[in-house]
Every structure is written in structure tokens, then in C-alpha cells.
Amino acid sequence: MRKAITLLGFLLVAASLSAAAGEVRNLRVWASPDSTRAVLDLDQRVDYRLFTLDNPSRVVIDIDDVDLDRVLELDEEHSGVIRRVRHGVREGHDLRVVLDLEGTVRPQSFLLAPAGEYGHRLVVDLYPEDGQTAEQRVREAVQSAQGGERDMIVAIDAGHGGEDPGAIGPSGTYEKTVALALARELKEQIDAEPGMRSVLIRTGDYYIPLEERYARAREARADLFLSIHADAFRDRRVRGSSVYVLSRRGASSEAAKWLARSENRSDLVGGVKLDRDDDVLSSVLLDLSQNVAMEYSTEAAEAILGQLARVGKQHRERVERANFVVLRSPDVPSVLVEVGFISNPHDEANLNSGTHRSQVAEAIVNGVRRHFFETAPQGTWIAANREGSRHIVERGDTLGVIAQKYRTSVSRIRQANNIDGDVIHPGAVLVIPAGS
């Protein structure tokens, strides 16, 4: 009887130990121009060790007391510097994962607590030793124009990315996907504008911490930072575009507060090691230089909002304010544009339309152009070409009214701007012929 009890006790202890073992459930890899991120999905917090080996280059991850019931597969499309993934049991109860690499890297690793749709995660970021840094890449993308008259720089930030899909529409559309598609369309249109140049903060499907996004805009010496989103609201009937600037006091509406809270959680979902508590993270140095930036932000936001009214329903007819982390640059005017609510089926369908995205991008560019032609400093191409030789079309303008204002003829304005008919759109910049 005693032997039976002892055996039963042994089996219970063994079962308990087995149940306590963790599990690696999946491997996901995201590649950016600056680094490659490998994410191991776990069912609980684990203890691990990481080290590198040379000839050939590889990263080894030893995880204590975990099981693996599937092969860790590598998606070659997003594999970055990782050539192959191997794994095996170590010392009977631990797991060893080996990442075979294209070259030497600097690894950084950390554990993440559950957030959003994800559970516990072990994150390994791989930075190539000979790779170009984000700062170098951004600088090269925005080299000043020749001739002493620089371009006005617009930093375009596609919200979310990688681990963080953002909001998800009723038919499964990811906010990160439409935000990047619209950002690319914006870049193409801005780069076609005389005196303007753009840089994409996020160029692919990967995550960038919120503070690093506006830091890259500062590195680019951007004149304007645009953060592009298509968020969700708990009421799926809510739809339409809206424009936001930073608030230092409080949100201008309940929806603005809700959206800011949702967006500011992106670092937890996207995977950022936060070494400071939330109170410290939330206290940014908002000095006098930021007061000036906030004034410019409001002016730019109003110009953009006025143009967005031409391409669909607006959620708010005024510029909204909320404490978005991504808008906290101390010296770069920053605007967050919600191009629609992806939680609304009608908006989701629009955002999946290339034609609609092109129209939205055109409206934003018209607003940015209008803002720059009013605020561009000396030394820029726009400042050198705006006085007395350019006219920004306003609502109610006609070619006849403009010709009368500048004491010229309609035909001369048509010829200078390659206009065939009489249709002109608000926000467009018309060349006024010399000698008028």
C-alpha cells in the first residue's frame, strides 16, 4: 500500500512538473531597413540566455523548461538577415534555438508581457554590424536641393506595422496596411511638387516605437510630420476623416481621448522595451520651441482639414486635440490624420480603393502646399517663388476673379498653368505670368 502511495505521489509530482513547463508556440520574423526582429510566442514568462557565435555567424537562444510541439518555420519574404532557423532539445528539458545569419550582428533581446492579441513574447532584434543606421538612411533620403534653395521636408509616418496591426476592419483589413499604402501615395505626390520633398518613416511592414518615429522626423530636419491612421471606434456607425494636433491639457472630445489612448498603447503591442514607467514616459519636455511648433501644427492641420472636406465625409469639422505620444516632437510641427474609421464598413471599402486613397492623398498635399506657401522660411524654394508669382486657389475663386486681382488675362493664366478649361480646385497653386 505504501509503495502504491509513493508511486502515486511520484506520478503527481511528475505531472505537476510537466504542467509547469512552458511552451514555444510560434516564430514570427519582421525585417526593416535597419534591423531584423525575431519574435517567439510563449505561453508564459521564461528564463533564457542569448549569445553569438562566429564562423559562421549565428545567434543562440537557450530557453529553460519549455516544450516545442511544432517546427519553427522561417518566412523567407520577411527573413531579413536570418538565413535559417534550427532548434533542438538541450539537457532533456530546455530548448535551444539557433538563428543562422547572413553576417555579423548586434543582438538585443527582451521579454514582453501580454498585450493586445498577443501573449508572452521573447523579442530578439538583430542589427547588422555593417548596416546603415536609421539616422544615416533618413539623412540621405532628404539631402537638400542644389542651388541654395532647399526643399520643404515632409516626414510621413504610416501608423502601426509589424507586430502591431492597428485596428482591424469588419472584413479583416489591417490599419497598418492601408496606412502604408496611403503613405506611399502621399510620398509620390509630394515628391512631384516643386519645392517639396518627403521621407517615409516606415517603408515596410515592421514596427517603430512611437518616440523613435518623431525622432526620425527631427533627424530629417522635417518641416512637417504627418502621422497617417485609419483607426476604429467602439460604435461602427462612426465614420469620416478627422485631423488631430497635440494637446498639453486634455482631449477636445471623448472620441479624441479614446483614440489617443488606443494609439499610445501601440508600443506595448508593437514590442518596445520600456525602461521607464508610464508617468515618466508621458512627461515630455514641452518647452518654448514646442509652443511654436504647436502653433504651426494647428495651422497645417486646419489647412489639411479644409481640403479633406472635398473627398468625403468628415467625422469632425474642426481640428481635434489629444495627447498622442507620436505628436510630441519638441520642434517639428506634427499632425495626425485619421483618413477614416476602418471599423466602419463604408470607410473600410473606401480605404481599400486605390482611387480613393489617391484622392485623399491629393487633398492632404493641397493642404500641405497651402500651409507651406504661407509659412515657408527664407532660403527655401517655395519662399523664393511665392511672392507675387503664385496664387493659392481658395473656395469661390474663378479664373476671372484671379485675373482681375493680378491685372492680367484669363488666357495668360491658362497658358502659364497648362489649363484647358475653367475648372480650378481649392488648394491648387497657380503661376501668375510675369509682367502682369
Side-chain angles (χ1 to χ4, degrees):
M1 181 68 175
R2 180 174 295 175
K3 290 182 178 179
I5 293 175
T6 302
L7 178 59
L8 177 60
F10 174 79
L11 292 174
L12 289 173
V13 170
S16 175
L17 290 174
S18 176
E23 182 183 7
V24 175
R25 294 177 168 173
N26 192 26
L27 168 69
R28 287 171 291 114
V29 177
W30 306 95
S32 79
D34 316 309
S35 64
T36 300
R37 166 168 288 189
V39 181
L40 290 167
D41 289 312
L42 312 165
D43 68 340
Q44 64 184 39
R45 188 177 179 86
V46 298
D47 292 322
Y48 75 97
R49 290 162 302 285
L50 181 147
F51 57 94
T52 61
L53 296 172
D54 298 323
N55 300 318
S57 298
R58 54 204 187 276
V59 167
V60 180
I61 310 161
D62 288 335
I63 310 174
D64 296 343
D65 296 316
V66 296
D67 295 327
L68 178 64
D69 61 359
R70 69 181 66 190
V71 175
L72 296 179
E73 297 182 352
L74 181 65
D75 181 356
E76 293 184 0
E77 183 179 354
H78 301 99
S79 61
V81 298
I82 302 175
R83 290 193 300 106
R84 184 176 57 164
V85 177
R86 298 179 284 128
H87 50 81
V89 177
R90 179 176 174 272
E91 297 183 356
H93 49 77
D94 299 337
L95 176 69
R96 169 165 288 184
V97 178
V98 180
L99 306 178
D100 293 325
L101 307 173
E102 298 285 355
T104 307
V105 301
R106 292 179 292 104
Q108 293 183 5
S109 65
F110 53 92
L111 293 167
L112 288 174
E117 64 181 278
Y118 300 111
H120 292 274
R121 288 165 287 168
L122 169 56
V123 178
V124 180
D125 287 330
L126 307 171
Y127 298 89
E129 288 284 5
D130 57 351
Q132 189 181 43
T133 66
E135 290 77 12
Q136 291 170 332
R137 181 172 56 81
V138 168
R139 283 174 183 167
E140 287 185 7
V142 291
Q143 289 178 344
S144 296
Q146 296 179 351
E149 295 174 356
R150 74 170 182 87
D151 291 337
M152 295 290 283
I153 304 300
V154 182
I156 307 170
D157 174 40
H160 307 280
E163 286 283 275
D164 177 20
I168 302 175
S171 67
T173 303
Y174 286 171
E175 179 185 1
K176 68 175 183 178
T177 304
V178 296
L180 183 59
L182 181 56
R184 287 169 171 164
E185 177 66 30
L186 261 175
K187 176 174 175 55
E188 183 176 337
Q189 293 194 25
I190 287 175
D191 289 346
E193 288 286 324
M196 293 167 59
R197 188 176 302 189
S198 66
V199 57
L200 289 178
I201 300 299
R202 175 168 75 87
T203 59
D205 187 12
Y206 50 88
Y207 188 75
I208 301 174
L210 298 176
E211 289 186 325
E212 186 177 336
R213 293 173 189 248
Y214 67 71
R216 291 189 184 185
R218 297 186 70 204
E219 190 67 36
R221 298 182 179 180
D223 298 283
L224 182 64
F225 174 83
L226 295 178
S227 187
I228 306 299
H229 291 261
D231 220 317
F233 196 60
R234 50 180 173 256
D235 184 350
R236 287 194 172 186
R237 293 173 297 177
V238 174
R239 58 178 296 242
S241 60
S242 47
V243 181
Y244 294 82
V245 295
L246 180 68
S247 170
R248 296 171 61 176
R249 297 181 180 178
S252 56
S253 69
E254 185 61 31
K257 182 189 299 183
W258 192 89
L259 286 171
R261 188 184 303 119
S262 173
E263 294 297 346
N264 292 347
R265 291 184 66 252
S266 285
D267 277 351
L268 299 177
V269 179
V272 177
K273 184 179 182 181
L274 301 177
D275 293 322
R276 299 166 291 176
D277 60 42
D278 289 343
D279 289 338
V280 176
L281 181 65
S282 298
S283 61
V284 183
L285 295 176
L286 299 174
D287 55 13
L288 291 176
S289 66
Q290 191 177 53
N291 289 335
V292 175
M294 289 173 69
E295 292 179 13
Y296 277 84
S297 300
T298 301
E299 293 173 4
E302 289 174 348
I304 292 170
L305 183 66
Q307 295 300 315
L308 284 172
R310 297 178 46 233
V311 293
K313 179 178 174 58
Q314 287 185 298
H315 175 58
R316 296 284 182 181
E317 295 181 355
R318 62 174 183 175
V319 173
E320 293 280 281
R321 299 176 182 273
N323 195 10
F324 291 93
V325 171
V326 78
L327 298 183
R328 292 178 183 171
S329 174
D331 49 11
V332 179
S334 303
V335 176
L336 187 145
V337 184
E338 293 281 358
V339 294
F341 281 84
I342 207 166
S343 51
N344 177 274
H346 189 275
D347 277 5
E348 181 188 24
N350 279 342
L351 292 169
N352 278 318
S353 164
T355 300
H356 180 79
R357 289 196 302 268
S358 178
Q359 292 172 346
V360 170
E362 182 181 358
I364 294 173
V365 172
N366 285 341
V368 170
R369 183 197 306 112
R370 183 183 187 88
H371 172 66
F372 281 167
F373 265 80
E374 293 175 353
T375 63
Q378 295 299 317
T380 61
W381 184 93
I382 290 178
N385 288 273
R386 68 184 170 197
E387 297 178 4
S389 59
R390 296 288 188 277
H391 175 84
I392 302 175
V393 179
E394 299 181 353
R395 289 188 179 278
D397 274 352
T398 65
L399 290 178
V401 169
I402 296 170
Q404 185 177 8
K405 177 179 179 179
Y406 292 98
R407 298 181 180 180
T408 186
S409 66
V410 171
S411 61
R412 292 189 68 193
I413 293 178
R414 284 201 188 105
Q415 183 178 7
N417 295 276
N418 295 317
I419 298 174
D420 292 330
D422 295 315
V423 178
I424 53 176
H425 298 291
V429 178
L430 298 182
V431 176
I432 304 303
S436 298

